């Protein structure tokens, strides 16, 4: 009786693991799709119920959501600014010590190309951008009290 060689055993194990990973990935993607549909339905129900409330309640909900968003924005932006500043100092220190060499001319050219392409795509007004802006405007018109409360709450949270 001959022993199966190690490569065929390893191949069989890897195929089994790959099949399990594919099945798990399919399950995750299906659940994410369902979650998006459920989130969309829940959002529609919540906004419909909110429109039935008094303007003061709509403003209060908007203010609370805006305040929370502004507070989180302030915290995250401070942390992000700190991390960007620290990484800039590390790169500048490594450059000064000669650990890394930065080709500033090439960096400037790449940045200009990227910026000009982004600027042209923004100024071109892509269909998705106009569609999104139209949806935002329609939402703001439909939910005036909540939008004004959100704006007020965000401004209060960011400034204080």
């Amino acid at each position: 009786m001959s022993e199966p060689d190690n490569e065929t055993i390893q191949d069989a194990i890897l195929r089994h693991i790959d099949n399990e990973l594919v099945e798990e990935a399919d399950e995750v993607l299906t659940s994410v799709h369902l979650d998006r549909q459920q989130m969309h339905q829940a959002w529609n129900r919540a906004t419909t119920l909110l429109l039935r409330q008094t303007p003061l309640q709509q403003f209060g909900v908007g203010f609370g959501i805006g305040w929370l968003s502004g507070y989180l924005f302030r915290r995250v932006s401070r942390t992000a600014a700190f991390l960007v500043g620290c990484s800039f100092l590390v790169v500048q220190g490594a450059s000064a010590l000669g650990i890394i060499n930065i080709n500033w001319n090439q960096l400037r050219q790449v940045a200009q190309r990227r910026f000009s392409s982004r600027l042209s795509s923004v100024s071109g007004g892509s269909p998705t951008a106009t569609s999104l802006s139209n949806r935002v405007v329609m939402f703001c018109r439909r939910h005036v009290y909540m939008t004004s409360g959100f704006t007020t709450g965000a401004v209060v949270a960011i400034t204080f």
Side-chain angles (χ1 to χ4, degrees), residues 30-46:
T30 303
S31 67
V32 166
H33 182 67
L34 290 176
D35 287 345
R36 282 185 181 174
Q37 288 177 344
Q38 291 171 350
M39 290 280 290
H40 187 65
Q41 290 171 353
W43 175 256
N44 285 339
R45 275 186 264 144

Side-chain angles (χ1 to χ4, degrees), residues 74-90:
R74 186 177 60 186
R75 292 291 179 191
V76 169
S77 63
R78 283 183 185 172
T79 304
F82 176 75
L83 293 175
V84 167
C86 287
S87 63
F88 181 73
L89 288 175
V90 168

Side-chain angles (χ1 to χ4, degrees), residues 27 50 52 54 87 93 97 107:
E27 289 176 14
L50 190 60
R52 295 179 187 160
T54 65
S87 63
L97 293 174
L107 182 64

Side-chain angles (χ1 to χ4, degrees), residues 63 65-78 150-160:
F63 184 87
I65 293 170
W67 184 85
L68 182 63
S69 298
Y71 179 79
L72 292 174
F73 175 77
R74 186 177 60 186
R75 292 291 179 191
V76 169
S77 63
R78 283 183 185 172
F150 178 87
T151 306
T152 306
V155 167
V156 166
I158 289 173
T159 56
F160 295 113

Side-chain angles (χ1 to χ4, degrees), residues 42-64:
W43 175 256
N44 285 339
R45 275 186 264 144
T47 55
T48 302
L49 289 174
L50 190 60
L51 283 174
R52 295 179 187 160
Q53 303 303 317
T54 65
L56 186 60
Q57 289 173 326
Q58 292 177 31
F59 184 86
V61 168
F63 184 87

